């Protein structure tokens, strides 16, 4: 994780289950890892470019042409984000070596996020994946400082000024990431230590998340003080980063609880066995009155004889003109059943959730061969998790 740039790990509910469709525009792939840029990234890119070209570089190395400052600022900004990407790739490569799939990396307004598709299997792996990021930033800081020193032996130049900036910013990012507050890399290192000492990932995440939220509140307080002192932009930026870190810290803890709740659970353990099906010959009006309004479900399997042939959801009927509901049948509206709409009862529940995310659906038919034995819904899983949360509280 880089600076205020969260590294999302694991593969449960959002963000972890969201492996089917990743946000942003794809730039390229590295070792099977898609590198994407989110639209919000443009905001921070332009801010850094402007602050370097119109502020830092003219103040640090004066008497150059505006074109020179903007050209140097563009190079520095691109190298800064290359450093962010290198930081995230270091996390991703170590995770891959540990057998953890990494679908992609996304650059966005707060930096970068590595989407690692599995939680670390042990605290030692968690430690390695987390620690390599700051080490990468420190290595880049040393590299840029060495290049700056080599150039500065002669007469100082705009290039050496850019290299000095890159050295300091990478050093700052490495130090910032070592703050022991989740979800920063230092917080993940702290979590790995607590996990190793207690044997409980859930407890370790809770403690590290609490420290992370404390750090977030500190940032927000510093931001408020800066605003009162007249530094509006810097103060707002501190507050936004603090709010973001607080939200991610709490979200990561909730996701860890969900993952632990789902460990070892099979689809057959939580599916609904009494499946309510509808006929393809049923009119939309009857479907609404006798099924959607009666049962309160958002979708139903469509059965033709002994075979389930499709699924009809509330979203399929909401655009039907009320005057035509008696004429249009379920068979005309249903979505034909595909391989992505079915799951075996012995499949792990975590895998089924990934499948739901990839399909963009809220339900899966549980089938043994061509025989329907149950249905799995997100709403039912949410109720199950709420019950488990209350009982385990």
């Amino acid at each position: 994780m880089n600076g205020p740039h969260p590294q999302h790990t694991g593969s449960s509910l959002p963000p972890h289950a969201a492996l089917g469709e990743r946000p942003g525009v794809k730039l390229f792939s590295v070792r099977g890892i898609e590198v994407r840029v989110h639209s919000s990234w443009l905001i921070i890119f332009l801010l850094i470019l402007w602050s370097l070209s119109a502020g830092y570089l003219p103040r640090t190395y004066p008497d150059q042409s505006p074109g020179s400052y903007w050209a140097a600022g563009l190079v520095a900004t691109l190298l800064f984000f290359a450093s962010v990407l290198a930081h995230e790739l270091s996390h991703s490569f170590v995770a891959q070596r540990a057998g953890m799939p990494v679908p992609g990396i996304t650059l966005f307004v707060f930096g970068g996020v590595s989407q690692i598709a599995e939680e670390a299997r042990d605290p030692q792996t968690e430690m390695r994946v987390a620690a390599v990021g700051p080490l990468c930033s420190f290595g880049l800081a040393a590299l840029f400082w060495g290049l700056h020193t080599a150039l500065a032996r002669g007469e100082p130049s705009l290039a050496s000024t850019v290299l000095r900036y890159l050295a300091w910013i990478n050093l700052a990012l490495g130090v910032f990431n070592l703050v022991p507050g989740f979800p920063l890399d230092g917080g993940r290192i702290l979590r790995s230590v607590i996990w190793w000492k207690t044997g409980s990932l859930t407890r370790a995440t809770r403690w590290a998340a609490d420290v992370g939220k404390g750090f977030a509140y500190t940032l927000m307080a510093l931001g408020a003080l800066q605003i009162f002192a007249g530094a509006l932009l810097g103060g707002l930026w501190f507050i936004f980063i603090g709010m973001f870190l607080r939200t991610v810290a709490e979200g990561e803890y909730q996701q860890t609880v969900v993952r632990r709740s789902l460990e070892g659970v099979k689809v057959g353990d939580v599916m609904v066995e009494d499946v309510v099906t509808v006929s393809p010959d049923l009119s939309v009006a009857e479907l609404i009155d006798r099924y959607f309004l009666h049962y309160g479900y958002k979708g139903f399997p469509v059965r033709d004889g002994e075979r389930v042939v499709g699924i009809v959801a509330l979203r399929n009927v909401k655009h039907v003109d009320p005057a035509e509901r008696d004429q249009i049948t379920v068979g005309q509206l249903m979505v034909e059943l595909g391989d992505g709409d079915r799951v075996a009862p012995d499949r792990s529940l975590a895998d089924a959730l990934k499948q739901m995310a990839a399909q963009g659906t809220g339900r899966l038919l549980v089938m043994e061969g061509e025989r329907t034995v149950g249905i799995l819904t997100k709403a039912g899983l949410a109720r199950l998790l709420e019950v488990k949360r209350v009982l385990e509280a």
Side-chain angles (χ1 to χ4, degrees), residues 19-35:
L19 301 177
E21 183 177 349
R22 290 179 289 279
V25 177
K26 179 181 175 181
L27 298 180
F28 52 86
S29 294
V30 181
R31 286 173 51 172
I33 303 169
E34 288 187 359
V35 177

Side-chain angles (χ1 to χ4, degrees), residues 84-95:
V84 172
L85 179 58
H87 181 114
E88 294 302 329
L89 284 172
S90 69
H91 285 305
S92 300
F93 291 161
V94 173

Side-chain angles (χ1 to χ4, degrees), residues 15-145:
H16 303 87
L19 301 177
E21 183 177 349
R22 290 179 289 279
V25 177
K26 179 181 175 181
L27 298 180
F28 52 86
S29 294
V30 181
R31 286 173 51 172
I33 303 169
E34 288 187 359
V35 177
R36 293 176 169 267
V37 171
H38 191 271
S39 57
S40 64
W41 171 82
L42 187 60
I43 298 172
I44 190 65
F45 182 89
L46 293 175
L47 280 174
I48 293 176
L49 175 60
W50 176 78
S51 66
L52 285 173
S53 304
Y56 176 80
L57 293 176
R59 184 173 62 252
T60 307
Y61 192 75
D63 301 325
Q64 304 298 305
S65 67
S68 299
Y69 289 133
W70 283 97
L74 179 60
V75 171
T77 304
L78 290 172
L79 287 174
F80 167 73
F81 280 101
S83 300
V84 172
L85 179 58
H87 181 114
E88 294 302 329
L89 284 172
S90 69
H91 285 305
S92 300
F93 291 161
V94 173
Q96 282 185 330
R97 282 199 294 271
M100 302 157 65
V102 185
I105 292 171
T106 301
L107 300 178
F108 72 121
V109 67
F110 286 113
V113 50
S114 299
Q115 294 141 346
I116 301 177
E118 290 181 5
E119 187 68 84
R121 297 178 179 86
D122 54 70
Q124 291 80 10
T125 301
E126 171 84 347
M127 171 76 79
R128 289 195 298 272
V129 173
V132 71
L135 289 175
C136 177
S137 293
F138 291 143
L140 288 171
L143 172 63
F144 287 126
W145 186 258

Side-chain angles (χ1 to χ4, degrees), residues 275-279 299-303 308 310-312 363 365 372 375:
V275 183
V276 179
T277 62
V278 299
S279 167
F300 297 91
V302 182
R303 184 187 296 275
V308 174
I311 295 177
V312 62
R363 66 199 56 80
L365 283 180
T372 302
I375 190 169

